[in-house]
Amino acid sequence: MLEQAIRDYHALLTPDLARASQERLTSLQQQENLFFGTRPLCNVLRPHFLSVEQASLISSVSQLVAEAARSVVEYALRTPTVLNLLALTEGEQRLISYEPGYRELSVSSRLDSFLTSDSSSFQFVEYNAESPAAIAYEDILSQVFEQLPIMQEFQRHYQVTSLPARQRLLEAFLAIYREWGGTDEPQIAIVDWHGLPTLSEFQLFQQYFGEHGLKTVICAPEELRYHAGTLYANDTPVNFVYKRLLTSEFLQRLGNEAFEHPLTQAYRDGAICLANNFRAKLLHKKMIFGLLSDPAITSAAGISQTTQQQLAQHIPWTRRVAAGRTDYAGNEVELLEFIKQNRDRLLLKPNDDYGGHGITIGWETEAEAWDAAVEHALTEPFVVQERVVIAYEDYPAMVDGQLQISQRLVDTDPFLFGTEVQGCLTRLSTVTLLNVTAGGGSTTPTFQVAKQG
């Protein structure tokens, strides 16, 4: 049904309807400020469609992975040798030691994955547990697509359902705020550095929170002040911080001054509810998949054999790059030798970075350059990860005034609130390194689709 729905959608795109839809898409993106920096978020004319069965699969498997990740983190916190594999810096360990005032490690997160259109493969590649972007973008982009002429024509034949997530985010924030001890309405600050391309999303959240009666300020870390037990953002008292700021950048930019920063002082004193709090870093490290794909660790963490088998279907084999022996497919291998001999199915990633920075794709790299990348990966925390099945679909786009339908890589990234899924980011690209921050590709909204009647 899904493949037929996509064919039917493309068949409806006459040149006139395509041009009218593109004009409407361009106009509405400008009107709604749907930009990543100066680039429009979306440059294609079709949403990402999921069948009812696929949406159910995404929800159940994502919850399985999120729950297992929390189990291995609990085990790691009791087991120093396993915790060391996550390669937390001294500064991160210090921040993690502060009590957040609520139990959940990651209130809002995103699992980045590839789901093939026939559902034959569904594999995760990263767990963005610290500061996931695009929730507001995707909600508004879905509303934009519902107004396109092509979507209105398509809905004469198919039932299409959007997957909004902003309301679930707000509910999650209010729940932890109450657990933290908040009794009145939270006063919110959205905090990140100045000059970032995601400012427009912060503004969308500011507007949305305001529509729900919550005063919200957008500010940079340097615009925070802590005085007499109250945190001020641009001189406005706040008691809830939506931290879009990455912990690693916070520590790198400020060094030891980070621990005397108003944000840290207020958090340490329990004067603010922070989401996500610094303990989200335990889930965010790329090596979390190393823990989840190591049978010795998952067994010791109390994860059942059945769940381990399920995880193995969806989590790629991942290991911290280091000299020594490890398990691969039930066999013991010398890790560095194995990495160098199998570049056609492996890639290297920094343990804690974003935007595609520092990734080396083995099957697109010459042997000499791969060996050099492996040597570099020994100088700082890196992981090696096995290649997953990449998902491709045809997407229509207007190119130089003409409709073109061409194959794109499709990244299916469900949003999680705690361990429950609501909504999804879809990213498209024509190159293997699929990341909008890295400067290419497009996002598109995600809809559940079913045949009318």
Side-chain angles (χ1 to χ4, degrees):
M1 186 282 300
L2 184 62
E3 293 178 351
Q4 184 61 52
I6 292 171
R7 286 194 295 270
D8 290 345
Y9 188 99
H10 293 166
L12 292 171
L13 270 172
T14 63
D16 286 345
L17 191 59
R19 278 192 291 270
S21 297
Q22 181 61 60
E23 289 172 2
R24 188 75 170 137
L25 176 61
T26 300
S27 172
L28 288 173
Q29 285 194 98
Q30 291 173 343
Q31 178 180 313
E32 299 291 348
N33 197 23
L34 292 177
F35 288 84
F36 186 82
T38 60
R39 300 197 311 272
L41 284 179
C42 183
N43 59 30
V44 298
L45 289 176
R46 178 170 73 77
H48 181 204
F49 289 136
L50 298 173
S51 67
V52 174
E53 293 78 14
Q54 284 181 321
S56 177
L57 174 69
I58 289 170
S59 181
S60 61
V61 173
S62 297
Q63 183 167 353
L64 176 87
V65 171
E67 291 175 350
R70 284 156 174 76
S71 294
V72 295
V73 163
E74 288 182 9
Y75 173 66
L77 290 172
R78 303 191 305 268
T79 314
T81 55
V82 176
L83 186 62
N84 287 343
L85 292 173
L86 291 176
L88 296 166
T89 67
E90 290 184 10
E92 289 166 349
Q93 292 179 48
R94 186 172 172 183
L95 292 174
I96 285 169
S97 72
Y98 303 147
E99 174 57 52
Y102 60 90
R103 179 174 172 77
E104 178 55 61
L105 288 178
S106 180
V107 182
S108 165
S109 62
R110 195 184 73 221
L111 276 164
D112 296 351
S113 66
F114 292 105
L115 170 65
T116 56
S117 59
D118 63 0
S119 302
S120 61
S121 177
F122 179 34
Q123 292 182 288
F124 298 102
V125 290
E126 289 186 6
Y127 191 177
N128 187 335
E130 186 179 3
S131 181
I135 291 172
Y137 280 151
E138 288 294 294
D139 276 15
I140 303 301
L141 196 56
S142 294
Q143 295 174 9
V144 165
F145 262 72
E146 288 172 339
Q147 300 177 60
L148 301 188
I150 175 58
M151 278 288 284
Q152 293 172 350
E153 179 65 25
F154 181 71
Q155 288 182 87
R156 294 175 56 193
H157 310 279
Y158 287 87
Q159 179 182 337
V160 178
T161 307
S162 63
L163 305 171
R166 284 179 302 169
Q167 181 62 33
R168 186 67 185 85
L169 176 78
L170 180 55
E171 291 169 358
F173 280 178
L174 292 175
I176 62 160
Y177 176 69
R178 303 300 178 208
E179 183 182 346
W180 170 79
T183 55
D184 53 0
E185 294 300 317
Q187 303 293 308
I188 301 173
I190 302 173
V191 179
D192 208 342
W193 307 105
H194 279 311
L196 295 180
T198 46
L199 173 61
S200 57
E201 185 178 36
F202 303 162
Q203 293 167 338
L204 291 173
F205 272 121
Q206 182 183 42
Q207 177 182 344
Y208 184 74
F209 294 155
E211 291 169 354
H212 287 78
L214 303 177
K215 183 175 179 59
T216 303
V217 179
I218 300 171
C219 73
E222 56 267 31
E223 294 166 332
L224 293 171
R225 180 172 61 89
Y226 186 52
H227 176 69
T230 299
L231 184 68
Y232 295 86
N234 286 330
D235 296 325
T236 299
V238 297
N239 59 5
F240 190 105
V241 173
Y242 180 14
K243 184 178 75 68
R244 295 294 295 263
L245 177 75
L246 289 170
T247 301
S248 55
E249 290 186 349
F250 183 55
L251 291 169
Q252 288 164 8
R253 292 196 189 195
L254 299 181
N256 288 331
E257 294 180 7
F259 301 102
E260 301 307 319
H261 189 276
L263 178 66
T264 309
Q265 289 184 324
Y267 176 66
R268 185 174 56 216
D269 292 351
I272 57 168
C273 182
L274 185 68
N276 284 329
N277 69 65
F278 293 115
R279 292 181 180 177
K281 182 62 74 175
L282 291 159
L283 294 169
H284 184 79
K285 295 285 188 179
K286 304 293 190 295
M287 187 54 195
I288 191 68
F289 282 3
L291 305 190
L292 288 172
S293 63
D294 189 330
I297 292 173
T298 50
S299 295
I303 295 173
S304 70
Q305 288 293 320
T306 299
T307 299
Q308 288 182 47
Q309 291 169 4
Q310 292 174 302
L311 289 172
Q313 295 176 38
H314 304 288
I315 295 291
W317 177 88
T318 305
R319 292 293 185 271
R320 173 89 174 271
V321 179
R325 302 185 71 80
T326 191
D327 171 85
Y328 177 80
N331 299 312
E332 191 176 79
V333 298
E334 180 62 44
L335 182 58
L336 294 183
E337 180 182 344
F338 179 82
I339 295 172
K340 290 182 178 181
Q341 291 178 354
N342 291 276
R343 77 177 192 279
D344 60 325
R345 52 177 159 150
L346 300 173
L347 54 80
L348 296 166
K349 294 181 178 180
N351 188 41
D352 191 358
D353 211 333
Y354 68 100
H357 301 152
I359 293 177
T360 302
I361 300 169
W363 56 95
E364 296 182 357
T365 305
E366 296 297 326
E368 185 176 346
W370 177 251
D371 289 348
V374 175
E375 292 302 317
H376 172 70
L378 291 167
T379 66
E380 56 186 273
F382 263 74
V383 300
V384 58
Q385 191 171 86
E386 190 164 26
R387 183 178 190 172
V388 302
V389 176
I390 296 176
Y392 294 90
E393 288 182 17
D394 286 338
Y395 276 84
M398 295 298 288
V399 180
D400 297 328
Q402 301 297 316
L403 179 66
Q404 292 187 7
I405 298 178
S406 58
Q407 198 170 72
R408 309 274 184 124
L409 282 75
V410 184
D411 200 14
T412 302
D413 307 334
F415 299 118
L416 291 92
F417 301 95
T419 61
E420 296 180 357
V421 169
Q422 178 62 46
C424 184
L425 165 66
T426 295
R427 296 179 291 190
L428 309 174
S429 179
T430 56
V431 297
T432 306
L433 187 55
L434 204 162
N435 194 290
V436 175
T437 304
S442 172
T443 62
T444 195
T446 307
F447 287 84
Q448 186 173 291
V449 63
K451 191 71 176 174
Q452 287 281 21

